[in-house]
Amino acid sequence: MIREMRFVVSVPDEVSAYAVAEKLAERGHLLVAVRQVPNDPLEGRFAGWWRAHSLVVDPPYEGPLEVSPAEKKAVAAVARKYGGQVNSACGQFPDQAIERFSREGLAHELDRAEADRIRAELVGAQTAAAPSLPAPPGLKCGGFRRPAADLRAAAEVVPFEGRTFDGVGDLIAAIADEAFPQGSVVPATPGAVPRLAALAGADGVSDFYRAMTLMVLFQMSTAGRRRLAYQADAPEDGGAETPAETATRAAVAAVLPGLAVGRSELAEFLLAGLSAATREAGAGMPASLERTAGRYAGTARIPVVNLIRAVADGAEEPIRTATAAVAAALPGVVDGLQSPKATAEGRALHTLDTVLQWELDNARLSKLGAVFGPR
């Protein structure tokens, strides 16, 4: 069987699109085409942008057909370098894959043998980069209550009269969609911070949803600095947070002292990351971070603990070293291919965002109640 991956990368201009296409061809993508984003109301936010469409086919392997995480992250790094983003990355059945690929705007068509040679070298390098530390088990987190009970508890702190939701997860998604669309800070973002903080501290809301709100708060408070990191190569970048991004970071800092949301390892770890990213440098870390370090000594979670410590301290060289250590310990999670023009803090926050989201996705959910043990 063959693993086929299709990618769609959007960038602001035609020159960048052809540069992305060349980078993808250098990674052994068999076919790469460049096209302008169509004039479609559904594509309004990409008006004037261009896209690189590619197809990469790896050698036969056993198992389900899916996108290679390493390739997905590498393509995302290429997109960020040129101020863009990956809109689609999907694995499909390989039957007639090459024939189905549209040749409109074709920029590169590699010889199959040459593409296979490039891919074999890249996949071999990825295999050689396997981490030396064992992957940690997921952080513990309380499971879910009944949806109706969760929503009643949420409504006590975040009233939503006249609107219905299937669960607290839908409520959090609705707040994020309105105030933090597609991960971008807008003028309404700072005003949503107190609502999310209220959900994070609501005792009647399931622990996992409380943790989810911490993840959203982390992404909101770091959005500007992460944006500057992945747009560091864009010549039009102003090199500073927008007023809304700065106001959002201040809003999160204001609610941070009230976020005593422990009860689960997952929430404690996310809170430590949020604290490091939001507080002034050198403000110190919650004691829970040291407890986590003790529980997971000898695993790939320790480099992440060290990165959180380094971000909290604020010294540039330790941040740089700790970021590289996380990329080495978790190569299947962190791509480690960020612009050298980005600040050490920006690269670290991008790495932390990726790893904390991975922790959220891989949490070990228990039945109900506290799972963090006696205080």
Side-chain angles (χ1 to χ4, degrees):
M1 302 190 69
I2 300 173
R3 178 166 59 206
E4 170 218 353
M5 294 169 279
R6 291 175 180 249
F7 291 92
V8 178
V9 177
S10 295
V11 288
D13 55 67
E14 183 178 7
V15 172
S16 296
Y18 277 101
V20 169
E22 183 174 356
K23 294 296 184 183
L24 297 183
E26 289 174 358
R27 293 193 60 80
H29 288 217
L30 193 63
L31 295 164
V32 190
V34 172
R35 306 166 199 152
Q36 190 167 19
V37 175
N39 185 14
D40 185 330
L42 297 177
E43 299 274 25
R45 68 191 180 92
F46 292 110
W49 281 42
W50 286 72
R51 282 183 176 146
H53 302 253
S54 74
L55 170 70
V56 57
V57 182
D58 276 352
Y61 82 115
E62 296 295 330
L65 295 171
E66 60 184 9
V67 178
S68 160
E71 190 62 23
K72 185 174 180 179
K73 293 179 187 306
V75 173
V78 171
R80 287 195 306 272
K81 179 176 180 179
Y82 293 95
Q85 59 186 277
V86 177
N87 295 116
S88 177
C90 60
Q92 299 176 342
F93 289 97
D95 299 341
Q96 300 178 336
I98 297 173
E99 289 78 4
R100 291 199 306 268
F101 188 90
S102 172
R103 263 62 172 183
E104 178 188 353
L106 189 66
H108 296 277
E109 182 172 8
L110 272 64
D111 175 80
R112 183 61 181 272
E114 176 65 4
D116 284 351
R117 181 192 66 77
I118 295 171
R119 295 303 303 162
E121 290 181 358
L122 286 174
V123 172
Q126 291 160 4
T127 301
S132 57
L133 293 172
L139 291 163
K140 295 178 182 178
C141 183
F144 299 102
R145 294 176 169 83
R146 292 190 302 274
D150 255 345
L151 279 171
R152 282 196 299 271
E156 292 179 3
V157 295
V158 182
F160 48 88
E161 293 89 350
R163 302 183 65 179
T164 59
F165 298 96
D166 291 334
V168 176
D170 288 341
L171 171 61
I172 297 169
I175 295 173
D177 287 345
E178 292 172 1
F180 192 46
Q182 298 173 337
S184 297
V185 169
V186 296
T189 308
V193 169
R195 286 184 288 161
L196 290 167
L199 283 173
D203 287 337
V205 173
S206 293
D207 286 349
F208 185 81
Y209 293 131
R210 286 148 55 92
M212 184 185 295
T213 61
L214 292 175
M215 188 70 234
V216 177
L217 287 170
F218 176 91
Q219 292 173 332
M220 284 181 167
S221 68
T222 61
R225 289 168 289 171
R226 289 186 291 109
R227 176 185 60 78
L228 293 172
Y230 66 70
Q231 292 182 354
D233 293 294
E236 70 277 8
D237 178 53
E241 288 182 318
T242 66
E245 289 167 346
T246 301
T248 300
R249 193 184 344 173
V252 175
V255 301
L256 187 61
L259 292 179
V261 294
R263 291 199 315 178
S264 76
E265 288 183 338
L266 178 65
E268 292 279 21
F269 202 60
L270 293 174
L271 182 57
L274 176 61
S275 298
T278 306
R279 291 175 171 172
E280 293 298 322
M285 280 283 86
S288 60
L289 187 64
E290 301 309 318
R291 291 198 294 270
T292 300
R295 287 186 175 93
Y296 295 98
T299 73
R301 186 166 287 127
I302 299 306
V304 184
V305 170
N306 292 336
L307 178 57
I308 292 174
R309 289 174 178 146
V311 170
D313 289 340
E316 183 172 323
E317 195 53 41
I319 289 176
R320 199 184 309 279
T321 300
T323 302
V326 172
L330 294 168
V333 178
V334 180
D335 55 56
L337 300 173
Q338 300 176 53
S339 169
K341 296 180 182 179
T343 65
E345 181 192 47
R347 289 196 294 259
L349 293 177
H350 172 74
T351 298
L352 263 184
D353 176 61
T354 302
V355 173
L356 294 180
Q357 184 63 58
W358 176 74
E359 293 282 15
L360 187 69
D361 293 341
N362 291 283
R364 286 180 289 164
L365 301 184
S366 66
K367 291 184 179 179
L368 284 177
V371 295
F372 202 61
R375 311 302 280 190

